[in-house]
């Protein structure tokens, strides 16, 4: 009689081994072939961006630790004091503005999966710096990618948040876990006015695989209004998660903020 637990374990181990082999193979190919910058096409060795373009990417100014929007002296902003979101804090590597937006759109909509390495690298650096400033007891113990609806993932062929999350998990030596499922498709958030995004994702997630007691870092490529991440965090907390925070590659600033 087959053992479903053992089958699941070996399937997961094989998948992990294949991903590790794939990353190493890509690294060897990049080292062997000329690589040019994604933005200016200057030679870069084995990197996706040249040093000058990487240094010119828009970084966040002093920001609210809860929502990552600009705030004087990096203090908690008035909006988060008045109506705290369900997630405890947000780590963001970059501002979602040119040319960061172009890179993430090429990953998300153009299928340039190599850019997941760049995105995860930027987020890993930001997350590692944030973790270094915190007591170990307050740090997340699971990395969870924000899931896509099945129909949208089938259409796209991959989930960019998962591609980023598994690489961040490997870089920071933290386990990646599947603790959320998307239960509803609905219109893409990017296609909606900001005011409609909260209702569009209401009830869009369900917790799976028992997140009780877990300290979770939710990973996504971009945070705009934060509505989707807030709904995902709310779902995990209702299922018993001890702590949820958001890790995003880029943060969209509100109109008028820069």
């Amino acid at each position: 009689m087959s053992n479903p637990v053992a089958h699941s374990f070996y399937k997961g181990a094989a998948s992990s081994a294949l991903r590790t082999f794939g990353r190493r193979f890509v690294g060897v190919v990049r080292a062997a072939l000329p690589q040019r910058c994604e933005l200016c096409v200057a030679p870069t060795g084995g990197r996706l961006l040249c040093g000058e373009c990487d240094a010119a990417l828009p970084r966040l100014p002093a920001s609210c630790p809860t929502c990552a929007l600009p705030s004087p002296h990096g203090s908690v902003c008035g909006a988060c004091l008045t109506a705290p979101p369900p997630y405890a804090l947000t780590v963001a590597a970059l501002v979602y503005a040119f040319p960061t937006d172009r890179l993430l759109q090429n990953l998300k909509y153009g299928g340039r999966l190599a850019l997941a390495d760049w995105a995860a690298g930027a987020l890993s650096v930001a997350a590692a710096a944030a973790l270094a400033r915190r007591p170990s007891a307050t740090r997340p113990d699971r990395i969870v990618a924000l899931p896509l609806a099945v129909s949208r993932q089938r259409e796209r062929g991959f989930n960019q948040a998962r591609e980023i999350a598994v690489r961040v998990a490997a870089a920071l030596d933290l386990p990646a876990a599947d603790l959320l499922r998307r239960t509803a498709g609905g219109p893409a958030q990017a296609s909606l006015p900001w005011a409609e995004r909260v209702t569009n994702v209401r009830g869009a997630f369900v917790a799976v695989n028992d997140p009780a007691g877990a300290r979770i870092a939710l990973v996504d490529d971009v945070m705009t209004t934060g509505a989707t991440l807030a709904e995902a965090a709310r779902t995990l907390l209702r299922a018993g998660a001890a702590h949820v925070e958001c890790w995003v590659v880029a943060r969209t600033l509100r109109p008028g903020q820069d």
Side-chain angles (χ1 to χ4, degrees), residues 96 99-109 115 118-119 160 164 221-222 249-250:
Y96 189 65
T100 303
D101 53 357
R102 173 178 157 187
L103 294 169
L104 290 174
Q105 287 164 15
N106 285 345
L107 164 62
K108 193 170 182 174
Y109 304 116
L115 287 169
W118 161 77
Q160 75 284 348
I164 295 167
D221 56 337
V222 180
V249 179

Side-chain angles (χ1 to χ4, degrees), residues 7 50 91 131 146 166 173 185-186 192 203 218 223-225 227 254:
H7 175 75
C50 69
V91 173
L131 293 177
L146 196 73
V166 295
D173 196 24
L192 297 174
L218 263 177
M223 178 188 274
T224 303
T225 64
R254 292 189 180 119

Side-chain angles (χ1 to χ4, degrees), residues 61-236:
S63 301
C64 170
T66 305
C67 68
L69 286 174
S71 178
H73 313 296
S75 57
V76 179
C77 69
C80 289
L81 286 172
T82 303
Y87 47 83
L89 60 91
T90 300
V91 173
L94 300 162
V95 174
Y96 189 65
F98 183 83
T100 303
D101 53 357
R102 173 178 157 187
L103 294 169
L104 290 174
Q105 287 164 15
N106 285 345
L107 164 62
K108 193 170 182 174
Y109 304 116
R112 284 283 292 133
L113 283 175
L115 287 169
D117 291 340
W118 161 77
L123 181 52
S124 297
V125 170
L131 293 177
R133 298 190 292 267
R134 294 163 56 182
S136 58
T138 69
R139 298 173 188 172
D141 53 32
R142 316 277 174 85
I143 303 291
V144 175
L146 196 73
L148 284 176
V150 172
S151 58
R152 187 151 291 125
Q153 181 157 337
R154 187 181 296 120
E155 177 186 311
R156 192 171 295 168
F158 64 96
N159 176 3
Q160 75 284 348
R162 179 170 177 78
E163 295 297 327
I164 295 167
V166 295
R167 289 161 171 81
V168 171
L172 300 181
D173 196 24
L174 287 168
D178 289 323
L179 298 179
L180 276 177
R181 290 284 182 272
R182 188 93 181 221
T183 61
Q189 287 288 83
S191 69
L192 297 174
W194 283 33
E196 295 179 20
R197 297 188 182 197
V198 173
T199 55
N200 185 54
V201 294
R202 190 168 294 151
F205 300 99
V206 62
V208 296
N209 298 327
D210 190 15
R215 299 185 61 83
I216 295 166
L218 263 177
V219 171
D220 202 6
D221 56 337
V222 180
M223 178 188 274
T224 303
T225 64
T228 306
L229 286 160
E231 183 65 18
R234 201 174 286 115
T235 300
L236 290 166

